[in-house]
Amino acid sequence: MKKPKIRECPFCGKIPSGKRFCSTHCGPALVCDHCEADGPPASDREISWKEEEKLKPKAIEKWNQRSFDRDSYRMGIEAAASFVEMFDKY
């Protein structure tokens, strides 16, 4: 099976290897090798751990959908950083 092409991380701009995933109750989520950002989980429903391996391509697909809207995510990150800066100047 051909490995799906992975788009760049919306947070650091680098391309993940596609080998790192974290487990969630809704399936695996792709993890960026460079900045440790987690992608969205592969499923919208709770799954068993037995289904995780076959859902990894779906996790990459979900990652690519998020990456497509990179500007919106950057704007959200900047808004969160601005909020945190009110409490911690460093």
Side-chain angles (χ1 to χ4, degrees), residues 23-28 41-52 54-55 62:
S23 294
T24 72
H25 68 283
C26 290
S43 178
D44 296 330
R45 62 176 180 79
E46 195 167 316
I47 65 153
S48 75
W49 62 271
K50 295 175 186 177
E51 297 176 88
E52 250 188 61
K54 68 180 182 181
L55 286 175
K62 291 262 190 152

Side-chain angles (χ1 to χ4, degrees), residues 11 20-22 24 29-32 35-41 63 66:
F11 301 105
R20 295 186 59 206
F21 293 87
C22 66
T24 72
L30 183 66
V31 176
C32 178
C35 70
E36 305 292 323
D38 295 347
W63 173 276
R66 178 179 74 172

Side-chain angles (χ1 to χ4, degrees), residues 66-77:
R66 178 179 74 172
S67 180
F68 185 69
D69 192 18
R70 183 178 181 162
D71 292 336
S72 296
Y73 279 91
R74 288 245 179 234
M75 192 167 56
I77 292 167

Side-chain angles (χ1 to χ4, degrees), residues 73-90:
Y73 279 91
R74 288 245 179 234
M75 192 167 56
I77 292 167
E78 290 170 5
S82 174
F83 178 75
V84 169
E85 193 175 52
M86 293 184 333
F87 303 100
D88 183 358
K89 300 291 182 203
Y90 301 103

